[in-house]
């Protein structure tokens, strides 16, 4: 059995989850207040949803059709995109594109770097590996990666 094919499950403490939510809320507020979120991004935004995104797409398609233009729609499933996020690139974008620095960037750096993972399955343990891409799934990491990594 190849242990490399299994994804680890994160055992994050309750306190860590509370801190992640507080930081995510503050960071989201900072991005919103400073108009750093993409205008038409619907994910993780209040009063935006799949429905509002689809209405925008349909409106654009109808406008193009009225002007006798062809519309081509490409859809991507980014549900596993977080497994590919390069931590160093994410941190660079948070600093360069969103102006995060000092304490905030230091905290996020400590959150995503220096992590290791190991998988246990049927009494077998995989080798411990340093996590350089993706990593533990959390509300904080999910929306931060989506907004700051995918949309930039």
């Amino acid at each position: 059995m190849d242990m490399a094919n299994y994804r680890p499950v994160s055992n994050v403490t309750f306190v860590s989850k509370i801190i992640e939510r507080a930081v995510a809320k503050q960071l989201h507020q900072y991005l919103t207040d400073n108009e750093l979120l993409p205008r038409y991004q619907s994910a993780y935004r209040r009063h935006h949803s799949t429905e509002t995104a689809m209405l925008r797409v349909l409106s654009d398609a109808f406008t193009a059709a009225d002007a006798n233009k062809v519309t081509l729609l490409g859809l991507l499933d980014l549900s596993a995109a977080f497994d590919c996020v390069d931590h160093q690139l994410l941190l660079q974008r948070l600093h360069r594109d969103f102006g995060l620095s000092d304490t905030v960037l230091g905290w996020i750096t400590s959150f995503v770097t220096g992590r290791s993972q190991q998988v246990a399955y049927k009494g077998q343990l995989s080798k411990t590996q340093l996590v350089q891409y993706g990593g533990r799934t959390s509300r904080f990491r999910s929306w931060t990666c989506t907004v700051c990594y995918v949309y930039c």
Side-chain angles (χ1 to χ4, degrees), residues 101-144:
S101 61
D102 303 327
T103 304
V104 174
L105 192 60
W107 187 87
I108 295 171
T109 300
S110 72
F111 182 77
V112 299
T113 59
R115 304 284 175 184
S116 61
Q117 66 185 20
Q118 185 177 40
V119 177
Y121 182 73
K122 291 187 178 182
Q124 291 183 313
L125 287 175
S126 69
K127 295 180 197 172
T128 301
Q129 295 181 332
L130 187 63
V131 179
Q132 295 177 331
Y133 303 94
R136 71 184 196 200
T137 300
S138 72
R139 179 182 176 135
F140 168 77
R141 190 177 63 81
S142 295
W143 83 260
T144 303

Side-chain angles (χ1 to χ4, degrees), residues 89-106:
L89 184 56
L90 173 63
L91 294 169
Q92 288 172 7
R93 287 185 176 182
L94 287 171
H95 177 67
R96 182 191 66 222
D97 300 336
F98 296 94
L100 300 185
S101 61
D102 303 327
T103 304
V104 174
L105 192 60

